[in-house]
C-alpha cells in the first residue's frame, strides 16, 4: 500500500482516472477490467468508511480487534447470574430424578427378577443393580453440581 494512508491503492483522483481509462479501453481483457473495477469500488468504499460512530464512541482499531479474546473471560461474561430459585429448582429436579431412578429401577428389578434369571442373559441381577445405582449416582452428582456451580 502507498504511504498516502487512506487514499486507496491508486491514490485518489489519479487512481479513478486510471481505472476509467483501463475499463473503457477495448484492448484490455475482461479479467483485468473486473479487477480494476473492484479496486475502484474498494477505493470509493474506503472513502465512505470514516470512523463509524457507535453507542459508546468510535469503532476500535483493527489491531485491537485482531487480538484473540480470553476464553475464560468470555465464558464468565456469557454465563450470567443464576437466580437462587433457578438453582433450587434445577438441583431439586436432578436429586428427585436420582431418587426416582434408584427406587423405581430397583423395584422393577425385584419384580422381574425371575424372568431376568430365566432368560440366561449375560447381564445378571448384579450388573443391572450396578447400572441403576450408577445412573442414580450420576443424577445426584448433577444435582449437587447444579446447586453449587
Amino acid at each position: 500500500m502507498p504511504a498516502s494512508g487512506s487514499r486507496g491503492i491508486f491514490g485518489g483522483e489519479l487512481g479513478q482516472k486510471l481505472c476509467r481509462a483501463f475499463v473503457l479501453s477495448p484492448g484490455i481483457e475482461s479479467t483485468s477490467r473486473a479487477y480494476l473495477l473492484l479496486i475502484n469500488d474498494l477505493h470509493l468504499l474506503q472513502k465512505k468508511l470514516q470512523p463509524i460512530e457507535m453507542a459508546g464512541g468510535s469503532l476500535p482499531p483493527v489491531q485491537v480487534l485482531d487480538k484473540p479474546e480470553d476464553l475464560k473471560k468470555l465464558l464468565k461474561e456469557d454465563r450470567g447470574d443464576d437466580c437462587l430459585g433457578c438453582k433450587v429448582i434445577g438441583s431439586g429436579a436432578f436429586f428427585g430424578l436420582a431418587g426416582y431412578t434408584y427406587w423405581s429401577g430397583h423395584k422393577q428389578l425385584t419384580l422381574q427378577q425371575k424372568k431376568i434369571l430365566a432368560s440366561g442373559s449375560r447381564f445378571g441381577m448384579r450388573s443391572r443393580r450396578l447400572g441403576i445405582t450408577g445412573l442414580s449416582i450420576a443424577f445426584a452428582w448433577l444435582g449437587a453440581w447444579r446447586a453449587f456451580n
Side-chain angles (χ1 to χ4, degrees):
M1 273 218 171
S4 62
S6 67
R7 298 203 64 187
I9 295 173
F10 283 132
E13 286 182 40
L14 175 63
Q16 288 181 359
K17 288 178 184 177
L18 283 173
C19 280
R20 283 191 202 108
F22 280 119
V23 169
L24 296 176
S25 64
I28 302 288
E29 295 178 16
S30 62
T31 310
S32 299
R33 283 188 206 152
Y35 178 70
L36 291 173
L37 280 172
L38 177 67
I39 290 174
N40 190 37
D41 289 346
L42 288 173
H43 174 71
L44 293 174
L45 181 66
Q46 191 176 20
K47 276 185 170 181
K48 291 179 183 177
L49 288 179
Q50 299 302 321
I52 300 169
E53 292 297 321
M54 298 173 68
S58 65
L59 189 67
V62 174
Q63 293 81 9
V64 173
L65 296 175
D66 272 346
K67 286 188 343 187
E69 295 195 39
D70 184 28
L71 180 63
K72 290 181 182 177
K73 180 183 171 189
L74 285 175
L75 289 174
K76 190 174 184 179
E77 289 174 0
D78 186 46
R79 190 168 159 215
D81 291 330
D82 236 356
C83 64
L84 180 62
C86 298
K87 286 187 176 191
V88 168
I89 296 295
S91 62
F94 278 120
F95 284 129
L97 189 57
Y100 179 74
T101 301
Y102 185 83
W103 174 75
S104 171
H106 283 284
K107 182 179 175 186
Q108 286 297 315
L109 278 179
T110 305
L111 292 173
Q112 302 291 329
Q113 184 173 3
K114 289 181 184 175
K115 288 182 183 177
I116 292 169
L117 293 175
S119 72
S121 171
R122 69 178 184 171
F123 297 110
M125 292 300 292
R126 188 176 202 183
S127 63
R128 292 172 193 239
R129 287 189 195 280
L130 183 64
I132 290 172
T133 304
L135 193 57
S136 299
I137 290 171
F139 285 137
W141 183 84
L142 285 171
W145 180 82
R146 180 69 178 106
F148 298 111
N149 284 330

